[in-house]
Amino acid sequence: MVKFDHIIHYVNQLEEVEKSPVLPIHSGGRHERFGTSNLLSYFDYRYVEYLAIENEEAFSRHLEEGGESFAGTIDALGYEEGFIRYALSTDDIKGLAERFLASGFAVHGPVEMERVTDGETISWKLLYVGSGNEIFPFFIEWDEPEQERLKRIEALRGKFIRPSITIRQEVTDIHVWEAFYDVLGIWEGEIDSLTRVVLSQNKEPSITMEVGMDGESAIYKGAIYKFI
């Protein structure tokens, strides 16, 4: 039903990430309507998105419009650098919205999105799911056919490395998170064949990403990267 797509690492300055990255940088672009820009580090179809505010006026205007979004997450977390949220991909975003509504969750979307990269416009749809103050993963459905998207990514990244990825997440209410994943039919944490999520409860939420590849583990711009 879903696969892990990407995790957002909010940073203050993209220039600093580009100069001294913890992972190789493969591309980037702008969300002009929301005043943000990004750099992307691909493993395969999964990636880390380094996201920064580029146009504060556009960003503030978007926040004033209200509604759930990754921009609202940045604001809610006090503009602190680090992992803020991750996305799961789907090919039936409208069906997912109906399932979460039927299970008592609040939903926002699908929302049309796009970014411009080197003059090329890439578009997709997003769905946000809510319950109380928990910041759940959001959902993405790419408008680009999957095979074309994989070819485009491979042209940027080169050969895919397909590492195992474990997202270790401390949450304030583990029961509502379990209910969230129940809607998706995920009970043992296996999002897809290469990606798992491990939940634990803590008053202070946090996200750690463990990647099965060589590298030097670090706290990089507020985010915990572990290479195992």
Side-chain angles (χ1 to χ4, degrees):
M1 175 58 108
V2 299
K3 296 189 294 185
F4 185 85
D5 195 83
H6 69 278
I7 188 167
I8 297 176
H9 181 171
Y10 172 70
V11 297
N12 293 327
Q13 297 290 334
L14 285 181
E15 293 82 0
E16 295 176 2
V17 175
E18 198 163 23
K19 287 178 182 177
S20 57
V22 70
L23 292 166
I25 301 297
H26 302 112
S27 69
R30 291 180 170 85
H31 311 106
E32 294 182 353
R33 184 158 56 106
F34 303 115
T36 55
S37 56
N38 65 15
L39 293 171
L40 308 180
S41 291
Y42 287 100
F43 301 108
D44 36 52
Y45 61 87
R46 302 165 299 167
Y47 63 97
V48 177
E49 176 182 13
Y50 298 97
L51 183 72
I53 299 169
E54 182 179 62
N55 183 327
E56 291 188 6
E57 183 179 349
F59 186 84
S60 296
R61 187 167 56 248
H62 170 53
L63 285 177
E64 290 172 1
E65 293 171 356
E68 180 70 75
S69 71
F70 58 80
T73 305
I74 294 169
D75 186 66
L77 295 177
Y79 299 84
E80 292 188 8
E81 290 189 309
F83 291 131
I84 62 170
R85 207 166 191 172
Y86 51 96
L88 307 178
S89 65
T90 178
D91 58 3
D92 185 17
I93 204 163
K94 291 182 179 178
L96 271 182
E98 293 171 358
R99 288 175 61 182
F100 276 103
L101 275 173
S103 298
F105 288 85
V107 301
H108 177 70
V111 178
E112 301 284 344
M113 290 283 294
E114 65 180 32
R115 75 167 180 265
V116 179
T117 302
D118 297 329
E120 180 184 17
T121 299
I122 299 169
S123 62
W124 62 92
K125 301 176 185 67
L126 297 181
L127 173 70
Y128 298 95
V129 174
S131 179
N133 294 321
E134 300 294 333
I135 300 175
F136 294 121
F138 60 98
F139 298 93
I140 185 167
E141 183 176 319
W142 294 97
D143 293 334
E144 189 177 19
E146 183 175 15
Q147 288 306 311
E148 290 184 18
R149 181 169 178 263
L150 291 176
K151 286 180 181 179
R152 178 176 58 79
I153 294 170
E154 192 167 18
L156 292 168
R157 198 237 173 270
K159 186 177 180 181
F160 292 163
I161 56 175
R162 302 189 187 283
S164 61
I165 294 177
T166 298
I167 303 296
R168 296 194 180 275
Q169 189 160 19
E170 295 185 325
V171 300
T172 54
D173 187 341
I174 197 168
H175 300 296
V176 74
W177 276 80
E178 290 170 345
F180 171 88
Y181 276 109
D182 281 351
V183 174
L184 301 175
I186 296 173
W187 299 284
E188 298 294 329
E190 186 174 333
I191 297 174
D192 55 55
S193 61
L194 292 170
T195 320
R196 293 180 55 81
V197 60
V198 178
L199 300 173
S200 58
Q201 189 154 315
N202 195 310
K203 292 181 180 179
E204 298 294 332
S206 67
I207 299 175
T208 298
M209 184 173 69
E210 295 180 354
V211 185
M213 58 181 279
D214 292 337
E216 186 173 341
S217 298
I219 299 177
Y220 177 74
K221 297 191 177 300
I224 303 174
Y225 290 79
K226 290 187 177 180
F227 298 97
I228 55 176

Short mmCIF file of all heavy atoms in Angstrom, two decimals, residues 1-6 47 86-98 108-115 122-128 137-146 149 152:
data_model
loop_
_atom_site.label_atom_id
_atom_site.label_comp_id
_atom_site.label_asym_id
_atom_site.label_seq_id
_atom_site.Cartn_x
_atom_site.Cartn_y
_atom_site.Cartn_z
N MET A 1 0.82 -1.21 0.00
CA MET A 1 0.00 0.00 0.00
C MET A 1 0.86 1.26 0.00
O MET A 1 0.63 2.18 -0.74
CB MET A 1 -0.93 -0.01 1.21
CG MET A 1 -1.75 1.26 1.38
SD MET A 1 -2.78 1.69 0.00
CE MET A 1 -4.37 1.30 0.67
N VAL A 2 1.89 1.31 0.89
CA VAL A 2 2.76 2.48 0.95
C VAL A 2 4.22 2.03 0.99
O VAL A 2 4.54 0.89 1.31
CB VAL A 2 2.47 3.36 2.19
CG1 VAL A 2 1.04 3.88 2.16
CG2 VAL A 2 2.77 2.62 3.48
N LYS A 3 5.11 2.97 0.64
CA LYS A 3 6.55 2.78 0.75
C LYS A 3 7.15 4.03 1.40
O LYS A 3 6.56 5.10 1.35
CB LYS A 3 7.19 2.59 -0.64
CG LYS A 3 6.75 1.35 -1.38
CD LYS A 3 7.58 1.14 -2.63
CE LYS A 3 7.34 2.24 -3.65
NZ LYS A 3 8.05 1.97 -4.93
N PHE A 4 8.31 3.85 2.01
CA PHE A 4 9.02 5.02 2.52
C PHE A 4 9.50 5.84 1.34
O PHE A 4 10.05 5.30 0.37
CB PHE A 4 10.20 4.58 3.38
CG PHE A 4 10.93 5.72 4.03
CD1 PHE A 4 10.48 6.23 5.25
CD2 PHE A 4 12.04 6.29 3.44
CE1 PHE A 4 11.15 7.28 5.86
CE2 PHE A 4 12.71 7.34 4.04
CZ PHE A 4 12.26 7.85 5.25
N ASP A 5 9.32 7.16 1.41
CA ASP A 5 9.73 8.02 0.30
C ASP A 5 10.91 8.90 0.68
O ASP A 5 11.98 8.81 0.08
CB ASP A 5 8.55 8.88 -0.16
CG ASP A 5 8.80 9.52 -1.51
OD1 ASP A 5 8.58 8.84 -2.53
OD2 ASP A 5 9.24 10.69 -1.55
N HIS A 6 10.72 9.78 1.68
CA HIS A 6 11.82 10.64 2.09
C HIS A 6 11.60 11.19 3.48
O HIS A 6 10.50 11.12 4.03
CB HIS A 6 12.02 11.79 1.10
CG HIS A 6 10.92 12.81 1.08
ND1 HIS A 6 9.74 12.64 0.39
CD2 HIS A 6 10.81 14.04 1.67
CE1 HIS A 6 8.96 13.72 0.54
NE2 HIS A 6 9.59 14.57 1.32
N TYR A 47 15.08 9.16 -0.12
CA TYR A 47 16.06 10.23 -0.02
C TYR A 47 15.87 11.07 1.24
O TYR A 47 14.84 10.99 1.92
CB TYR A 47 16.01 11.13 -1.26
CG TYR A 47 14.70 11.87 -1.49
CD1 TYR A 47 14.52 13.19 -1.08
CD2 TYR A 47 13.64 11.25 -2.17
CE1 TYR A 47 13.34 13.87 -1.32
CE2 TYR A 47 12.45 11.92 -2.41
CZ TYR A 47 12.32 13.23 -1.98
OH TYR A 47 11.14 13.90 -2.22
N TYR A 86 8.59 12.65 8.03
CA TYR A 86 8.93 11.86 6.85
C TYR A 86 7.68 11.56 6.04
O TYR A 86 6.56 11.69 6.52
CB TYR A 86 9.69 10.57 7.20
CG TYR A 86 9.08 9.70 8.27
CD1 TYR A 86 8.27 8.62 7.94
CD2 TYR A 86 9.34 9.93 9.62
CE1 TYR A 86 7.73 7.80 8.92
CE2 TYR A 86 8.81 9.11 10.60
CZ TYR A 86 8.00 8.05 10.25
OH TYR A 86 7.45 7.24 11.22
N ALA A 87 7.91 11.20 4.79
CA ALA A 87 6.82 10.99 3.84
C ALA A 87 6.77 9.53 3.41
O ALA A 87 7.80 8.88 3.20
CB ALA A 87 7.00 11.88 2.61
N LEU A 88 5.56 9.01 3.26
CA LEU A 88 5.31 7.69 2.72
C LEU A 88 4.62 7.85 1.37
O LEU A 88 3.68 8.64 1.25
CB LEU A 88 4.43 6.87 3.67
CG LEU A 88 4.92 6.77 5.12
CD1 LEU A 88 3.91 5.98 5.96
CD2 LEU A 88 6.29 6.12 5.20
N SER A 89 5.07 7.12 0.36
CA SER A 89 4.48 7.25 -0.97
C SER A 89 3.33 6.27 -1.14
O SER A 89 3.28 5.19 -0.54
CB SER A 89 5.53 7.03 -2.05
OG SER A 89 6.01 5.70 -2.02
N THR A 90 2.38 6.65 -1.98
CA THR A 90 1.21 5.84 -2.28
C THR A 90 0.77 6.10 -3.71
O THR A 90 1.12 7.13 -4.30
CB THR A 90 0.05 6.18 -1.31
OG1 THR A 90 -1.11 5.40 -1.67
CG2 THR A 90 -0.31 7.65 -1.38
N ASP A 91 0.03 5.16 -4.28
CA ASP A 91 -0.56 5.38 -5.60
C ASP A 91 -2.07 5.56 -5.49
O ASP A 91 -2.78 5.57 -6.50
CB ASP A 91 -0.22 4.23 -6.56
CG ASP A 91 -0.70 2.88 -6.06
OD1 ASP A 91 -1.34 2.83 -4.98
OD2 ASP A 91 -0.42 1.87 -6.73
N ASP A 92 -2.58 5.72 -4.26
CA ASP A 92 -4.02 5.91 -4.03
C ASP A 92 -4.22 6.89 -2.88
O ASP A 92 -4.74 6.52 -1.83
CB ASP A 92 -4.70 4.57 -3.75
CG ASP A 92 -6.21 4.69 -3.63
OD1 ASP A 92 -6.77 5.73 -4.08
OD2 ASP A 92 -6.84 3.78 -3.06
N ILE A 93 -3.84 8.13 -3.09
CA ILE A 93 -3.87 9.10 -2.00
C ILE A 93 -5.30 9.45 -1.59
O ILE A 93 -5.59 9.67 -0.41
CB ILE A 93 -3.05 10.35 -2.39
CG1 ILE A 93 -2.57 11.08 -1.14
CG2 ILE A 93 -3.82 11.27 -3.35
CD1 ILE A 93 -1.44 12.06 -1.41
N LYS A 94 -6.23 9.46 -2.55
CA LYS A 94 -7.63 9.74 -2.21
C LYS A 94 -8.24 8.61 -1.38
O LYS A 94 -8.99 8.84 -0.44
CB LYS A 94 -8.44 9.98 -3.48
CG LYS A 94 -8.09 11.27 -4.20
CD LYS A 94 -8.97 11.48 -5.43
CE LYS A 94 -8.63 12.79 -6.11
NZ LYS A 94 -9.45 13.00 -7.34
N GLY A 95 -7.89 7.37 -1.74
CA GLY A 95 -8.37 6.22 -0.98
C GLY A 95 -7.85 6.23 0.44
O GLY A 95 -8.57 5.91 1.39
N LEU A 96 -6.57 6.64 0.62
CA LEU A 96 -6.00 6.74 1.96
C LEU A 96 -6.73 7.79 2.79
O LEU A 96 -7.00 7.58 3.98
CB LEU A 96 -4.52 7.11 1.88
CG LEU A 96 -3.51 5.97 1.79
CD1 LEU A 96 -2.10 6.54 1.78
CD2 LEU A 96 -3.67 4.99 2.93
N ALA A 97 -7.05 8.92 2.17
CA ALA A 97 -7.78 9.98 2.88
C ALA A 97 -9.11 9.44 3.40
O ALA A 97 -9.49 9.70 4.56
CB ALA A 97 -8.00 11.17 1.96
N GLU A 98 -9.80 8.68 2.59
CA GLU A 98 -11.09 8.12 3.01
C GLU A 98 -10.92 7.13 4.14
O GLU A 98 -11.73 7.11 5.09
CB GLU A 98 -11.75 7.45 1.80
CG GLU A 98 -12.18 8.43 0.72
CD GLU A 98 -12.63 7.74 -0.56
OE1 GLU A 98 -12.57 6.48 -0.61
OE2 GLU A 98 -13.02 8.44 -1.50
N HIS A 108 -6.07 16.50 5.81
CA HIS A 108 -5.97 17.74 5.04
C HIS A 108 -5.36 17.39 3.69
O HIS A 108 -4.24 16.91 3.61
CB HIS A 108 -5.09 18.76 5.76
CG HIS A 108 -4.88 20.02 4.99
ND1 HIS A 108 -5.89 20.94 4.79
CD2 HIS A 108 -3.78 20.53 4.38
CE1 HIS A 108 -5.44 21.96 4.09
NE2 HIS A 108 -4.15 21.73 3.84
N GLY A 109 -6.12 17.60 2.63
CA GLY A 109 -5.63 17.27 1.30
C GLY A 109 -6.51 16.24 0.64
O GLY A 109 -7.58 15.90 1.15
N PRO A 110 -6.07 15.76 -0.55
CA PRO A 110 -4.76 15.98 -1.17
C PRO A 110 -4.52 17.43 -1.60
O PRO A 110 -5.42 18.12 -2.05
CB PRO A 110 -4.78 15.05 -2.39
CG PRO A 110 -5.85 14.04 -2.10
CD PRO A 110 -6.87 14.78 -1.29
N VAL A 111 -3.26 17.86 -1.44
CA VAL A 111 -2.81 19.20 -1.80
C VAL A 111 -1.88 19.10 -2.99
O VAL A 111 -0.95 18.29 -2.99
CB VAL A 111 -2.07 19.86 -0.61
CG1 VAL A 111 -1.56 21.24 -0.99
CG2 VAL A 111 -2.97 19.93 0.62
N GLU A 112 -2.13 19.91 -4.03
CA GLU A 112 -1.27 19.94 -5.21
C GLU A 112 0.03 20.67 -4.88
O GLU A 112 0.02 21.75 -4.28
CB GLU A 112 -1.97 20.63 -6.37
CG GLU A 112 -3.29 19.99 -6.80
CD GLU A 112 -3.09 18.72 -7.60
OE1 GLU A 112 -1.95 18.51 -8.08
OE2 GLU A 112 -4.06 17.97 -7.75
N MET A 113 1.17 20.08 -5.27
CA MET A 113 2.47 20.67 -5.00
C MET A 113 3.34 20.59 -6.25
O MET A 113 3.10 19.78 -7.15
CB MET A 113 3.17 19.91 -3.87
CG MET A 113 2.56 20.12 -2.50
SD MET A 113 3.00 21.71 -1.80
CE MET A 113 4.77 21.52 -1.56
N GLU A 114 4.37 21.45 -6.27
CA GLU A 114 5.35 21.37 -7.35
C GLU A 114 6.64 22.05 -6.91
O GLU A 114 6.65 22.84 -5.97
CB GLU A 114 4.83 22.03 -8.62
CG GLU A 114 4.61 23.51 -8.53
CD GLU A 114 4.09 24.11 -9.83
OE1 GLU A 114 3.37 23.44 -10.57
OE2 GLU A 114 4.44 25.28 -10.09
N ARG A 115 7.72 21.70 -7.57
CA ARG A 115 8.98 22.41 -7.38
C ARG A 115 9.63 22.58 -8.75
O ARG A 115 9.37 21.81 -9.69
CB ARG A 115 9.93 21.67 -6.43
CG ARG A 115 10.62 20.45 -7.00
CD ARG A 115 11.77 19.99 -6.09
NE ARG A 115 12.43 18.82 -6.66
CZ ARG A 115 12.15 17.57 -6.33
NH1 ARG A 115 11.21 17.31 -5.44
NH2 ARG A 115 12.80 16.57 -6.89
N ILE A 122 8.40 19.65 -11.43
CA ILE A 122 8.02 18.32 -10.96
C ILE A 122 6.84 18.50 -10.02
O ILE A 122 6.87 19.36 -9.13
CB ILE A 122 9.19 17.63 -10.24
CG1 ILE A 122 10.38 17.48 -11.22
CG2 ILE A 122 8.79 16.28 -9.68
CD1 ILE A 122 11.67 17.06 -10.55
N SER A 123 5.78 17.71 -10.20
CA SER A 123 4.56 17.91 -9.42
C SER A 123 4.15 16.64 -8.69
O SER A 123 4.51 15.53 -9.09
CB SER A 123 3.41 18.39 -10.31
OG SER A 123 3.10 17.43 -11.30
N TRP A 124 3.36 16.82 -7.63
CA TRP A 124 2.90 15.70 -6.81
C TRP A 124 1.74 16.15 -5.95
O TRP A 124 1.39 17.34 -5.92
CB TRP A 124 4.04 15.17 -5.94
CG TRP A 124 4.59 16.17 -4.96
CD1 TRP A 124 4.21 16.36 -3.67
CD2 TRP A 124 5.65 17.13 -5.19
NE1 TRP A 124 4.95 17.37 -3.07
CE2 TRP A 124 5.83 17.86 -3.99
CE3 TRP A 124 6.43 17.43 -6.30
CZ2 TRP A 124 6.77 18.86 -3.87
CZ3 TRP A 124 7.37 18.46 -6.18
CH2 TRP A 124 7.53 19.15 -4.97
N LYS A 125 1.14 15.23 -5.23
CA LYS A 125 0.05 15.52 -4.30
C LYS A 125 0.46 15.08 -2.90
O LYS A 125 1.16 14.06 -2.75
CB LYS A 125 -1.24 14.78 -4.72
CG LYS A 125 -1.74 15.12 -6.10
CD LYS A 125 -2.95 14.26 -6.45
CE LYS A 125 -3.39 14.51 -7.89
NZ LYS A 125 -2.39 14.03 -8.86
N LEU A 126 0.01 15.83 -1.88
CA LEU A 126 0.33 15.51 -0.50
C LEU A 126 -0.96 15.34 0.31
O LEU A 126 -1.96 16.01 0.05
CB LEU A 126 1.16 16.61 0.15
CG LEU A 126 2.55 16.89 -0.42
CD1 LEU A 126 3.22 18.00 0.37
CD2 LEU A 126 3.41 15.63 -0.43
N LEU A 127 -0.89 14.44 1.30
CA LEU A 127 -2.00 14.24 2.23
C LEU A 127 -1.43 14.26 3.64
O LEU A 127 -0.45 13.57 3.94
CB LEU A 127 -2.67 12.88 1.97
CG LEU A 127 -3.75 12.46 2.98
CD1 LEU A 127 -4.99 13.34 2.83
CD2 LEU A 127 -4.11 10.98 2.80
N TYR A 128 -2.06 15.07 4.51
CA TYR A 128 -1.66 15.16 5.91
C TYR A 128 -2.75 14.55 6.78
O TYR A 128 -3.94 14.75 6.55
CB TYR A 128 -1.44 16.61 6.30
CG TYR A 128 -0.34 17.28 5.53
CD1 TYR A 128 -0.64 18.03 4.39
CD2 TYR A 128 0.99 17.17 5.91
CE1 TYR A 128 0.37 18.66 3.66
CE2 TYR A 128 1.99 17.79 5.20
CZ TYR A 128 1.68 18.53 4.07
OH TYR A 128 2.68 19.14 3.35
N PRO A 137 3.73 10.94 9.90
CA PRO A 137 4.21 11.01 8.52
C PRO A 137 3.10 11.55 7.62
O PRO A 137 1.92 11.39 7.92
CB PRO A 137 4.52 9.55 8.18
CG PRO A 137 4.68 8.87 9.50
CD PRO A 137 3.77 9.58 10.45
N PHE A 138 3.50 12.18 6.53
CA PHE A 138 2.51 12.58 5.54
C PHE A 138 2.66 11.69 4.31
O PHE A 138 3.60 10.89 4.22
CB PHE A 138 2.63 14.07 5.20
CG PHE A 138 3.97 14.48 4.62
CD1 PHE A 138 4.15 14.61 3.25
CD2 PHE A 138 5.04 14.78 5.46
CE1 PHE A 138 5.36 15.01 2.73
CE2 PHE A 138 6.26 15.18 4.95
CZ PHE A 138 6.43 15.30 3.58
N PHE A 139 1.73 11.81 3.38
CA PHE A 139 1.70 10.92 2.22
C PHE A 139 1.92 11.70 0.94
O PHE A 139 1.48 12.85 0.82
CB PHE A 139 0.38 10.16 2.17
CG PHE A 139 0.16 9.28 3.37
CD1 PHE A 139 -0.54 9.74 4.47
CD2 PHE A 139 0.70 8.01 3.42
CE1 PHE A 139 -0.72 8.95 5.59
CE2 PHE A 139 0.54 7.21 4.54
CZ PHE A 139 -0.17 7.69 5.63
N ILE A 140 2.59 11.05 0.00
CA ILE A 140 2.89 11.69 -1.27
C ILE A 140 2.52 10.76 -2.42
O ILE A 140 2.73 9.54 -2.33
CB ILE A 140 4.39 12.08 -1.33
CG1 ILE A 140 4.72 12.86 -2.59
CG2 ILE A 140 5.30 10.84 -1.22
CD1 ILE A 140 6.09 13.54 -2.54
N GLU A 141 1.91 11.32 -3.43
CA GLU A 141 1.63 10.60 -4.67
C GLU A 141 2.24 11.40 -5.81
O GLU A 141 1.83 12.52 -6.11
CB GLU A 141 0.12 10.43 -4.90
CG GLU A 141 -0.19 9.62 -6.15
CD GLU A 141 -1.68 9.37 -6.34
OE1 GLU A 141 -2.36 9.08 -5.32
OE2 GLU A 141 -2.16 9.45 -7.47
N TRP A 142 3.26 10.83 -6.46
CA TRP A 142 3.96 11.52 -7.53
C TRP A 142 3.12 11.49 -8.81
O TRP A 142 2.54 10.46 -9.16
CB TRP A 142 5.31 10.87 -7.78
CG TRP A 142 6.25 11.01 -6.63
CD1 TRP A 142 6.49 10.09 -5.64
CD2 TRP A 142 7.07 12.15 -6.32
NE1 TRP A 142 7.40 10.58 -4.75
CE2 TRP A 142 7.78 11.84 -5.13
CE3 TRP A 142 7.27 13.39 -6.95
CZ2 TRP A 142 8.67 12.73 -4.56
CZ3 TRP A 142 8.16 14.28 -6.37
CH2 TRP A 142 8.85 13.94 -5.19
N ASP A 143 3.08 12.62 -9.51
CA ASP A 143 2.37 12.67 -10.78
C ASP A 143 3.18 12.01 -11.89
O ASP A 143 2.63 11.56 -12.89
CB ASP A 143 2.07 14.13 -11.17
CG ASP A 143 1.06 14.77 -10.22
OD1 ASP A 143 0.26 14.03 -9.62
OD2 ASP A 143 1.08 16.01 -10.08
N GLU A 144 4.48 11.94 -11.71
CA GLU A 144 5.38 11.33 -12.68
C GLU A 144 5.27 9.81 -12.63
O GLU A 144 5.28 9.23 -11.55
CB GLU A 144 6.81 11.76 -12.33
CG GLU A 144 7.87 11.42 -13.34
CD GLU A 144 9.22 11.95 -12.90
OE1 GLU A 144 9.39 12.26 -11.70
OE2 GLU A 144 10.11 12.08 -13.76
N PRO A 145 5.14 9.11 -13.78
CA PRO A 145 5.13 7.65 -13.76
C PRO A 145 6.37 7.09 -13.06
O PRO A 145 7.46 7.65 -13.20
CB PRO A 145 5.12 7.28 -15.25
CG PRO A 145 4.51 8.46 -15.93
CD PRO A 145 4.98 9.66 -15.13
N GLU A 146 6.19 6.00 -12.31
CA GLU A 146 7.27 5.50 -11.46
C GLU A 146 8.54 5.18 -12.25
O GLU A 146 9.64 5.53 -11.81
CB GLU A 146 6.81 4.27 -10.69
CG GLU A 146 7.87 3.76 -9.73
CD GLU A 146 7.38 2.61 -8.87
OE1 GLU A 146 6.34 2.01 -9.20
OE2 GLU A 146 8.04 2.33 -7.87
N ARG A 149 10.33 8.29 -13.17
CA ARG A 149 10.93 8.92 -11.99
C ARG A 149 12.21 8.19 -11.59
O ARG A 149 13.22 8.83 -11.26
CB ARG A 149 9.92 8.91 -10.84
CG ARG A 149 10.45 9.56 -9.57
CD ARG A 149 9.36 9.80 -8.53
NE ARG A 149 9.95 10.38 -7.35
CZ ARG A 149 10.30 9.70 -6.26
NH1 ARG A 149 10.09 8.39 -6.20
NH2 ARG A 149 10.86 10.30 -5.23
N ARG A 152 14.99 9.13 -13.90
CA ARG A 152 15.46 10.49 -13.63
C ARG A 152 16.36 10.51 -12.40
O ARG A 152 17.43 11.15 -12.39
CB ARG A 152 14.28 11.43 -13.45
CG ARG A 152 14.66 12.86 -13.11
CD ARG A 152 13.46 13.77 -13.05
NE ARG A 152 12.47 13.33 -12.08
CZ ARG A 152 12.56 13.53 -10.77
NH1 ARG A 152 13.62 14.16 -10.27
NH2 ARG A 152 11.62 13.11 -9.94
#
